């Protein structure tokens, strides 16, 4: 919403300047966006006179002018057809910014002749939409006169109107609130009744009172339309509106002045003598919606949810009620008789029509927020008076059809509630004065009685529904800067929370993975149904009825697809070598028991190529990270069984495995993702991943509460022994390591795999696994016999797993 200071002063008697008005508006809750000062924009431009004008020696359409300016005589090259000796016009010096062209003038030759400035048109200064040449000014204006003063340029205040305050969409409503803040005194004008000289030849029929409860209008005959007077054109153009003609400009003026949209129809273009207000219709023959060519020259299809104004017995649509009139009945220079409309339309209907058809007119903007229903007749009378003053003519009696919606109901209000809710200590007189200045009807209890007041909101304040709303009104008018700054009482600090075992594990897992070099990802708990199907999901029960996006329509059965797609996005941006994890829920069904919490990790090993090769096998590195994670969260790593060949089908069958505590408790699946799945997701492989089902990881046994004892470090040096066992190729190496470690838990500190060999000397289908066993003596140095006995235990334990000591 925009308005000028002079326009405001039509309703507010004040000495405040534009900055003081803007500050008062801000303190009263009106959010000022900007104060536009066109005078500052026009400051470099002054009046000049062309002394002589000769044809340019190198261009037929250019003239070299000798110009008397505020800076002395200047030679300026001009291409305007009306440039001539003796013309008084506008001069822009070198260095001036010309807003209509978006350029800053510099001294440069034009076809070999240097132009020392510019002679400007009105459009180049954004004073009009178009110009035929440079601006022609009265010859009596002295050279050097500032242009800003000639065109009446004044500051414009632009502020944001909140949806609950449609009364702010009129300058009169803004003046009312400012008067309440004591920045000025509100001017009250009684709108005189214009008596009709004859009965209206146009009648109105309401067929859709739920869309348009009340409709009023009158005929004015014998009008003379044409360009609006200068004062009206300046008022509209100052706030960015284009002057069209007197009749249309009057309706635009009242819409911005009183927040009362109106419309005028050319009676000669109406078909019949009846205007019908109805819902949009659908052709029974074709099934198509009826169409209307509106005043913006666009064609719109009106549905049954739209309010339509029609003539010809209700058959021909001539406007969209409360939104925009039709081109067929628009007023132009030949109009002599008009029908002036003032109606009230349901805000919800108008809002939906504007949204559905993409129309954002001034009328639609106001009706969608709620125009004052009581302004129907006063707005019609005011517009009638302006049209008679500007266009002449003779008015008919008013046609009034329907019943306006009821005014807001009164409610009880205790003025002490102001202090209780806001802390402001105001006396009752001040509270009553503020409410009265804002238009509220206050009926106070008789003196000496403590009964609450009865307050009735004005017809234009349908957003006020209770005492709290009145407290807000009093607070903003008194000034939010007047709110007491008493600090709130200090609240007792609650005792620090204790993490549950699950929460502690999640925090530990997060820290462990970050320490291993993984970056945490936070993705949606949804994915695309086709993607979910690749990971064992996609059940129709898990499809969302109202997804936030088309590719997030299904609850995810695994956290891996989102991590895969996140890694792919990183790769597309040049960061292909990714390592990331996510801790969050997955959904295996639509019941509460079907939700699981998982710790998922993904590695996309795409390091830069190097002559030394890729180095350590990524799959074993992933297993090492997984083992570290499980140890950190207290999983029984030593008891886990490694099983290959039983992973679900989104894993690579030969490069994946699972860790489980028996066949019914699968804790982890890990390995390389299947190339088929990556291809379906349009992702480059390979990608390695793991997914730990936190719900399946047994919690560690409860702690005794005793402090941890000192480290049990032996003073004796450890020793190592190497073994090579031949086992079937399908035998997991981890089983051999576990067996060797368990041969003597007191003396064996560690078992490491340092070689796996297949080839000459080893039968087909078998492999040789070399183990290094670290032996840590405790009480005394081991004798040779004790070492041999321990060696025999290791060999025997591994042989039980199918291993045979290699010669």
């Amino acid at each position: 919403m925009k308005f000028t200071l002079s326009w405001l002063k039509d309703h507010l008697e004040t000495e405040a300047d534009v900055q003081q008005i803007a500050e008062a508006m801000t303190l009263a809750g009106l959010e000022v966006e900007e104060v536009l000062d066109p005078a500052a924009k026009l400051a470099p431009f002054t009046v000049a006179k062309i002394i002589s004008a000769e044809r340019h020696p190198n261009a037929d359409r250019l003239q070299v002018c000798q110009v008397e300016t505020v800076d002395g005589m200047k030679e300026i090259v001009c291409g305007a057809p009306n440039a001539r000796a003796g013309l008084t016009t506008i001069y822009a010096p070198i260095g001036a910014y010309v807003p209509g062209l978006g350029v800053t003038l510099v001294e440069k030759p034009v076809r070999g002749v240097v132009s020392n400035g510019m002679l400007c048109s009105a459009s180049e200064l954004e004073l009009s939409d178009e110009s035929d040449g440079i601006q022609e000014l009265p010859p009596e204006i002295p050279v050097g006169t500032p242009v800003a003063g000639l065109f009446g340029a004044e500051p414009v205040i632009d502020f944001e109107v909140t949806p609950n305050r449609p009364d702010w969409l009129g300058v009169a409503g803004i003046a009312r609130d400012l008067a309440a803040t004591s920045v000025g005194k509100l001017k009250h004008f009684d709108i005189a009744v214009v008596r009709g000289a004859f009965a209206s030849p146009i009648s109105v029929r309401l067929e859709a009172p739920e869309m348009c409860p009340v409709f009023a209008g009158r005929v004015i005959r014998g009008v003379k339309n044409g360009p609006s007077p200068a004062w009206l054109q300046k008022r509209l153009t100052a706030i960015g509106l284009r002057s069209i003609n007197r009749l249309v400009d009057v309706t635009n003026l009242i819409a911005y002045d009183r927040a009362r949209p109106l419309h005028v129809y050319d009676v000669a273009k109406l078909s019949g003598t009846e205007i019908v207000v109805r819902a949009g219709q659908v052709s029974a023959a074709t099934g198509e919606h009826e169409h209307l060519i509106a005043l913006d020259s666009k064609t719109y299809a009106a549905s049954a949810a739209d309010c339509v104004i029609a003539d010809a017995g209700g058959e021909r649509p001539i406007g969209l009620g409360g939104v925009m009139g039709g081109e067929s009945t628009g007023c132009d220079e030949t109009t002599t008789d008009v029908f002036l409309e003032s109606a009230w339309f349901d805000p919800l209907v108008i809002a939906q029509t504007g949204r559905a058809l993409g129309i954002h007119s001034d009328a639609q903007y106001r009706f969608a927020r709620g125009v004052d229903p009581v302004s129907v007749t006063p707005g019609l009378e005011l517009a009638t008076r302006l049209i008679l003053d500007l266009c002449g003519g003779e008015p008919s009696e008013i046609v009034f059809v329907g019943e306006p919606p009821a005014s807001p109901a009164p409610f009880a209000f205790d003025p002490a509630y102001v202090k209780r809710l806001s802390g402001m200590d105001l006396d009752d007189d001040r509270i009553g004065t503020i409410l009265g200045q804002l238009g509220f009807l206050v009926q106070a209890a008789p003196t000496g009685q403590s009964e609450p007041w009865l307050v009735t909101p004005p017809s234009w304040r349908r957003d006020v529904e209770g005492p709290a709303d009145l407290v807000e009104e009093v607070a903003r008018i008194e000034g939010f800067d007047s709110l007491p700054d008493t600090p709130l009482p200090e609240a007792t600090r609650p005792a620090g929370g204790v993490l549950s075992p699950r929460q502690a594990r999640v925090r530990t897992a997060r820290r462990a993975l970050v320490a291993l070099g993984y970056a945490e990802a936070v993705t949606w708990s949804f994915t695309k149904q086709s993607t979910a199907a690749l990971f064992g999901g996609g059940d129709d029960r898990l499809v969302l009825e109202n997804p936030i996006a088309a590719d997030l329509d299904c609850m995810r059965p695994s956290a891996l697809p989102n991590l895969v797609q996140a890694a792919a996005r990183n790769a597309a941006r040049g960061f292909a070598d990714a390592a990331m994890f996510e801790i969050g829920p997955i959904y295996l069904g639509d019941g509460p028991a079907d939700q699981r919490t998982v710790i998922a990790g993904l590695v996309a090993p795409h390091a830069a190529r190097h002559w030394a090769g890729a180095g350590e096998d990524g799959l074993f590195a992933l297993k090492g990270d997984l083992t570290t994670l499980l140890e950190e969260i207290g999983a029984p790593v030593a008891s886990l069984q490694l099983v290959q060949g039983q992973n679900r089908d989104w894993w690579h069958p030969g490069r994946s495995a699972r860790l489980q505590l028996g066949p019914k408790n699968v804790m982890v699946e890990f390995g390389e993702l299947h190339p088929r799945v990556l291809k379906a997701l349009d992702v480059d492989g390979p990608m390695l991943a793991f997914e730990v089902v936190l719900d399946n990881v047994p919690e560690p046994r409860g702690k005794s509460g005793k402090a941890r004892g000192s480290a049990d470090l032996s003073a004796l040096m450890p020793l190592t022994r190497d073994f090579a066992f031949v086992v079937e190729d399908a035998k997991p190496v981890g089983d051999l390591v576990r067996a060797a470690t368990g041969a003597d838990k007191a003396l064996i500190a560690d078992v490491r795999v340092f070689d796996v060999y297949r080839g000459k000397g080893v039968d087909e289908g078998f492999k040789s696994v070399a183990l290094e066993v670290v032996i840590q003596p405790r009480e005394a140095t081991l004798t040779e016999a004790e070492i041999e006995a321990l060696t025999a235990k290791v060999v025997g334990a591994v042989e039980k797993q199918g291993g045979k000591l290699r010669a």
Side-chain angles (χ1 to χ4, degrees):
M1 174 68 184
K2 296 179 180 179
F3 65 93
T4 62
L5 182 59
S6 64
W7 195 341
L8 177 68
K9 288 183 177 181
D10 283 352
H11 299 278
L12 186 71
E13 187 177 331
T14 180
E15 298 298 326
D17 60 24
V18 68
Q19 294 300 332
Q20 292 171 326
I21 292 293
E23 183 178 356
M25 290 175 63
T26 301
L27 292 177
L30 289 84
E31 185 180 345
V32 176
E33 293 280 336
E34 188 179 9
V35 177
L36 306 169
D37 190 357
K41 183 172 62 175
L42 297 176
F45 304 94
T46 55
V47 173
K49 178 171 289 188
I50 301 176
I51 303 303
S52 66
E54 304 291 340
R55 194 176 71 177
H56 193 290
N58 301 319
D60 293 339
R61 296 186 178 182
L62 298 179
Q63 296 187 75
V64 179
C65 302
Q66 303 300 321
V67 184
E68 182 184 357
T69 73
V70 69
D71 301 321
M73 195 64 67
K74 297 287 184 180
E75 186 173 70
I76 298 175
V77 178
C78 182
N82 62 333
R84 62 186 183 273
L87 177 65
T88 301
T89 186
I90 300 173
Y91 159 69
I94 296 297
Y97 175 77
V98 183
L101 301 178
V103 298
T104 300
L105 300 181
V106 295
E107 186 176 320
K108 65 177 183 180
V110 179
R111 294 289 185 96
V113 178
V114 175
S115 182
N116 298 286
M118 178 179 177
L119 302 180
C120 302
S121 66
S123 62
E124 288 165 340
L125 300 188
E126 296 183 339
L127 297 173
S128 69
D129 292 335
E130 55 186 29
S131 301
D132 295 331
I134 57 177
Q135 182 69 28
E136 297 192 18
L137 298 175
E140 62 270 14
I141 300 177
V143 171
T145 302
V147 169
L150 296 177
F151 290 91
E154 60 175 322
V156 175
I157 296 178
D158 184 5
F159 75 101
E160 186 69 26
V161 178
T162 54
N164 67 317
R165 294 303 305 270
D167 57 307
W168 283 347
L169 291 170
V171 179
I174 303 166
R176 184 188 304 112
D177 276 28
L178 289 174
T181 65
S182 302
V183 78
K185 183 179 179 181
L186 186 65
K187 298 179 181 180
H188 294 280
F189 298 99
D190 292 329
I191 299 176
V193 174
V194 180
R195 296 188 179 276
F198 56 95
S200 173
I202 304 295
S203 61
V204 178
R205 175 158 49 98
L206 284 182
E207 290 187 355
E210 71 283 359
M211 294 180 170
C212 177
V214 59
F215 190 105
R218 75 187 331 160
V219 171
I220 305 176
R221 64 190 182 191
V223 299
K224 184 177 181 181
N225 200 10
S228 294
W231 69 267
L232 181 53
Q233 292 190 37
K234 288 181 180 179
R235 178 151 291 185
L236 296 179
T237 55
I239 61 172
L241 295 181
R242 182 171 60 90
S243 176
I244 299 173
N245 56 52
R246 295 174 193 169
L247 292 170
V248 176
D249 288 356
V250 164
T251 62
N252 287 335
L253 176 71
I254 296 177
Y256 276 81
D257 189 74
R258 302 299 177 104
R260 163 35 66 185
L262 303 163
H263 187 65
V264 284
Y265 302 89
D266 189 330
V267 172
K269 298 177 182 177
L270 290 174
S271 178
T273 59
E274 184 183 45
I275 287 178
V276 180
V277 183
R278 58 171 174 79
Q281 297 178 347
V282 178
S283 171
T286 64
E288 295 182 354
H289 294 292
E290 60 182 339
H291 290 76
L292 167 74
I293 302 177
L295 287 172
D296 60 359
S297 300
K298 296 180 181 179
T299 302
Y300 298 99
S303 70
D306 304 319
C307 183
V308 170
I309 312 297
D311 64 358
E315 293 299 321
R316 184 182 71 152
I318 58 173
L320 291 168
V323 178
M324 187 175 291
E327 190 176 68
S328 62
T329 57
C331 296
D332 53 31
E333 304 297 325
T334 64
T335 299
T336 57
D337 299 339
V338 298
F339 181 79
L340 178 62
E341 168 203 303
S342 179
W344 191 88
F345 299 92
D346 182 80
L348 184 58
V349 171
I350 303 306
Q352 291 174 338
T353 297
R355 188 180 301 112
L357 301 181
I359 303 177
H360 304 286
S361 65
D362 287 337
Q364 188 271 341
Y365 187 77
R366 284 162 172 77
F367 278 121
R369 282 155 178 78
V371 172
D372 180 9
V374 178
S375 68
V376 171
T377 300
L380 185 63
E381 297 282 18
L382 180 60
T384 301
R385 173 52 57 195
L386 281 173
I387 290 175
L388 295 178
D389 290 345
L390 298 179
C391 306
E394 186 180 28
S396 75
E397 296 173 352
I398 292 177
V399 178
F400 192 97
V401 182
E403 185 71 26
S407 296
F411 55 84
F413 174 67
D414 184 355
Y417 195 50
V418 172
K419 184 175 182 180
R420 189 160 66 249
L421 198 62
S422 70
M424 289 182 170
D425 192 6
L426 303 176
D427 56 43
D428 291 359
D429 288 344
R430 176 57 180 158
I431 296 172
T433 299
I434 291 175
L435 294 178
Q437 289 177 321
L438 292 176
F440 294 87
L441 177 60
V442 179
Q443 294 174 280
T447 305
Q449 297 184 15
S450 58
E451 295 180 5
W453 297 351
L454 192 65
V455 178
T456 304
S459 58
W460 60 84
R461 290 302 307 273
R462 295 176 179 271
D463 60 307
V464 176
E465 299 176 346
D469 296 324
L470 296 182
V471 174
E472 182 182 1
E473 292 300 298
V474 172
R476 71 179 183 87
I477 295 301
E478 184 66 19
F480 289 125
D481 56 336
S482 300
L483 289 170
D485 55 1
T486 305
L488 294 172
E490 186 172 348
T492 305
R493 196 175 192 84
V498 178
L499 295 179
S500 67
R502 169 70 62 83
Q503 292 170 327
R505 275 185 154 181
V506 167
R507 184 171 66 175
T508 300
R510 182 176 287 112
R511 291 176 175 176
L513 288 168
V514 170
L516 290 169
Y518 288 73
E520 183 174 10
V522 180
T523 69
W524 296 104
S525 293
F526 327 115
T527 188
K528 196 174 183 180
Q529 187 178 12
S530 58
T531 301
L534 296 172
F535 289 81
D539 191 330
D540 289 341
R541 296 175 300 166
L542 297 179
V543 175
L544 304 176
E545 291 185 0
N546 186 24
I548 60 175
D551 56 350
L552 296 172
D553 61 346
C554 185
M555 305 302 290
R556 65 182 184 183
S558 167
L560 295 178
N562 290 356
L563 288 179
V564 169
Q565 291 171 330
R569 287 191 293 270
N570 284 340
R573 290 161 175 77
F575 300 94
D577 193 23
M580 57 183 67
F581 75 95
E582 181 176 7
I583 303 176
I586 63 171
Y587 305 88
L588 307 179
D590 60 351
D594 297 318
Q595 180 175 326
R596 302 284 190 276
T597 299
V598 298
I599 307 172
L602 180 135
V603 177
H606 292 85
R609 291 185 295 176
H610 192 271
W611 64 270
E616 185 181 9
D617 191 330
L619 190 55
F620 287 104
L622 180 78
K623 183 184 176 185
D625 293 344
L626 179 58
T627 301
T628 300
L629 169 64
L630 294 174
E631 289 174 345
E632 288 291 331
I633 64 175
V637 177
S639 304
L640 293 178
Q641 301 172 347
L642 187 143
V643 179
Q644 292 181 276
Q646 296 187 22
N647 277 23
R648 288 170 288 188
D649 58 3
W650 58 86
W651 298 100
H652 192 297
R655 293 178 60 81
S656 63
R658 61 168 53 171
L659 296 175
Q660 61 187 38
L661 284 171
K664 294 185 178 180
N665 187 358
V666 179
M667 286 174 37
V668 187
E669 286 188 339
F670 72 97
E672 184 176 324
L673 293 174
H674 202 293
R676 171 185 55 81
V677 173
L678 298 181
K679 183 178 180 181
L681 295 176
D682 194 22
V683 175
D684 293 332
M687 285 191 177
L688 312 175
F690 63 80
E691 194 164 46
V692 181
V693 182
L694 196 57
D695 305 74
N696 294 347
V697 180
E699 296 182 1
R701 295 177 182 178
K703 298 180 181 180
S704 63
K706 297 180 180 179
R708 180 182 296 179
S710 59
D712 183 17
L713 301 177
S714 175
L716 303 175
M717 290 291 294
L719 65 150
T720 62
R721 287 292 184 270
D722 294 344
F723 301 85
F725 295 97
V726 177
V727 295
E728 293 183 356
D729 206 9
K731 184 68 176 177
V733 175
D735 292 350
L736 307 186
V737 173
R738 192 178 300 106
T741 303
D744 191 325
K745 294 182 179 180
L747 291 176
I748 297 177
D750 194 12
V751 178
R752 307 186 186 104
V753 179
F754 66 87
D755 186 41
V756 178
Y757 171 74
R758 299 176 183 85
K760 187 176 180 181
V762 178
D763 294 341
E764 184 75 20
F766 289 82
K767 61 186 175 185
S768 173
V769 180
L771 304 178
E772 179 188 46
V773 178
V774 180
I775 303 169
Q776 177 62 64
R778 296 291 177 180
E779 302 295 334
T781 303
L782 297 179
T783 64
E784 190 66 29
E786 290 173 328
I787 295 174
E788 290 298 330
L790 181 59
T791 299
K793 287 183 180 181
V794 171
V795 173
V798 175
E799 285 180 345
K800 290 180 181 180
Q801 295 293 326
K804 181 180 180 182
L805 189 64
R806 185 179 177 189

